[in-house]
Amino acid sequence: MPAAIASRHAPGAQLVRPQPFGRRLGGAAFRALARRLVPGVHDTQCGFKIFDRVGVQHALRRCRVNGFAFDVELLRQIRRGGGRIAEIAVAWTDDQRSTFRPLHDGPAAFADLLRLYWLELR
């Protein structure tokens, strides 16, 4: 299995302390767009991921974005290379120390997703 990832949104996951409403809303929009690029994956952005070395090295060579949408592209490239992704439901608690700043990082994250869509059309 090339990838196993934690998921806050897969069946069986629990949100012990959810994010503030604005973060949840932005996250839902991001997941909706990401789901079209990586079908079947509920949560591309949860921090815990483990990869098969050969599979991830092959996928990394094809990645083009390096911002917050990097995870989406990496998982997409793993799938394109024939790899499977196991999504493990977790109990998750919001941490206010997150490095993601919605007003600063949100537009760039969505722009990276749009770039991934554009790269797919080429």
Side-chain angles (χ1 to χ4, degrees), residues 50-91:
I50 187 165
F51 301 100
D52 168 76
R53 182 198 299 184
V54 173
V56 77
Q57 285 175 334
H58 184 68
L60 283 168
R61 284 193 281 278
R62 296 188 313 261
C63 288
R64 301 231 175 124
V65 299
N66 60 10
F68 279 99
F70 170 77
D71 306 61
V72 176
E73 184 177 26
L74 179 59
L75 294 172
R76 181 162 179 78
Q77 294 298 347
I78 285 171
R79 278 264 179 84
R80 287 180 122 184
R84 290 185 24 218
I85 301 166
E87 199 169 14
I88 298 132
V90 296

